[in-house]
Amino acid sequence: MNEGLILTPEEAASYLRVDLRTVYKILREGQLPAGKVGRQWRIRKEDLDRFLTPHMPVAEEELSPEDLAAIQRGLEDIKAGRVERWEDLSKELGQ
């Protein structure tokens, strides 16, 4: 349904949740592919999504099974009271 959707700068600003001036700045700088119909900008939603992708934070890497097992062992140690306070451990290490 959204395939080929064409947005106005106002709709793009709303979609991105940014100020309209930000969208116009991006358009003027040529960072976002768009076209003009007369004097009005039009932006394809797919181009807007493509523009947004490199600016989004990268998802954290998934933990390996070994990492998950180590975390689980650590939690079990904490629950069982098999932990040392950082203050005591740093004194032992002479830090």
Side-chain angles (χ1 to χ4, degrees):
M1 180 174 143
N2 287 340
E3 192 172 316
L5 186 63
I6 305 293
L7 303 173
T8 65
E10 292 82 3
E11 292 167 331
S14 176
Y15 177 69
L16 294 175
R17 296 183 180 181
V18 298
D19 190 86
L20 180 59
R21 290 175 291 199
T22 302
V23 172
Y24 279 117
K25 179 180 182 281
I26 292 167
L27 290 170
R28 280 191 309 272
E29 292 174 351
Q31 295 181 41
L32 176 63
K36 280 191 166 185
V37 178
R39 297 177 63 198
Q40 299 177 354
W41 287 99
R42 293 296 179 259
I43 307 154
R44 290 188 301 187
K45 184 178 176 297
E46 63 191 57
D47 289 334
L48 191 57
D49 289 336
R50 197 173 302 117
F51 166 80
L52 190 57
T53 300
H55 300 335
M56 296 296 288
V58 177
E60 292 292 322
E61 183 179 314
E62 285 192 35
L63 295 174
S64 69
E66 294 81 15
D67 290 338
L68 290 172
I71 292 169
Q72 184 62 42
R73 284 192 307 274
L75 291 172
E76 290 168 3
D77 286 343
I78 291 169
K79 287 179 186 175
R82 296 184 298 258
V83 293
E84 294 200 32
R85 294 175 6 140
W86 172 249
E87 293 82 9
D88 298 338
L89 184 58
S90 63
K91 284 179 188 174
E92 280 183 36
L93 297 173
Q95 294 181 348

